[in-house]
């Protein structure tokens, strides 16, 4: 296959980051290019790594995940931001969409649902 979709994972939980990395790296069309546990260096990392997709935990701290989503989606318009929620119908998920996230998914989603969400939300990032 041609170019892989480059993904950055931003989640405060190391096990969640490692689990997502394991799921994504089993695919032929995606690759994890970086991980962060808070948003303090997110913008500089996005500028350096140039991911196509950022998976952002909506419970990040410093200052807030919503600010990070807003910052990423407006400072890097080609970046597809996907918010990850812990709880169904979390009101923060709805605010994340208004702040620039392309979509959301539950962290408890199945492997196939997570991959399909990324592919559906960011179809133009697929190495064209």
């Amino acid at each position: 296959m041609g170019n892989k979709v480059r993904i950055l994972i931003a989640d405060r939980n190391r096990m969640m980051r490692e689990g997502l990395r394991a799921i994504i790296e089993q695919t032929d069309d995606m690759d994890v290019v970086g991980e962060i546990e808070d948003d303090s260096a997110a913008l500089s990392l996005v500028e350096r790594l140039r991911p196509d997709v950022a998976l952002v935990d909506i419970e990040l701290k410093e200052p807030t995940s919503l600010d990070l989503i807003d910052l990423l989606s407006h400072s890097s318009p080609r970046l597809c931001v996907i918010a990850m929620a812990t709880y169904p119908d979390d009101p923060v998920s709805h605010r994340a969409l208004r702040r620039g996230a392309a979509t959301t998914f539950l962290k408890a989603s199945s492997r196939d649902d997570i991959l399909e969400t990324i592919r559906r939300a960011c179809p133009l990032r697929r190495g064209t």
Side-chain angles (χ1 to χ4, degrees), residues 11-41:
D11 194 289
R12 61 196 165 97
N13 184 296
R14 183 178 59 128
M15 288 190 60
M16 186 68 192
R17 292 192 312 271
E18 290 174 356
L20 284 168
R21 176 181 285 276
I23 289 169
I24 291 165
E25 291 190 343
Q26 291 177 1
T27 69
D28 292 333
D29 60 338
M30 298 180 205
D31 192 29
V32 174
V33 295
E35 299 176 18
I36 54 175
E37 65 183 57
D38 62 44
D39 59 1
S40 60

Side-chain angles (χ1 to χ4, degrees), residues 23-95:
I23 289 169
I24 291 165
E25 291 190 343
Q26 291 177 1
T27 69
D28 292 333
D29 60 338
M30 298 180 205
D31 192 29
V32 174
V33 295
E35 299 176 18
I36 54 175
E37 65 183 57
D38 62 44
D39 59 1
S40 60
L43 188 57
S44 63
L45 197 59
V46 165
E47 290 171 354
R48 185 169 55 84
L49 297 176
R50 298 184 179 268
D52 302 304
V53 177
L55 303 179
V56 179
D57 175 9
I58 62 170
E59 295 180 18
L60 282 176
K61 305 297 184 224
E62 289 187 30
T64 71
S65 58
L66 293 176
D67 291 338
L68 176 61
I69 289 168
D70 189 46
L71 181 66
L72 292 177
S73 62
H74 290 94
S75 66
S76 185
R78 65 178 270 300
L79 179 66
C80 178
V81 179
I82 299 175
M84 301 182 294
T86 303
Y87 307 104
D89 298 319
D90 187 328
V92 179
S93 294
H94 301 291
R95 292 198 305 262

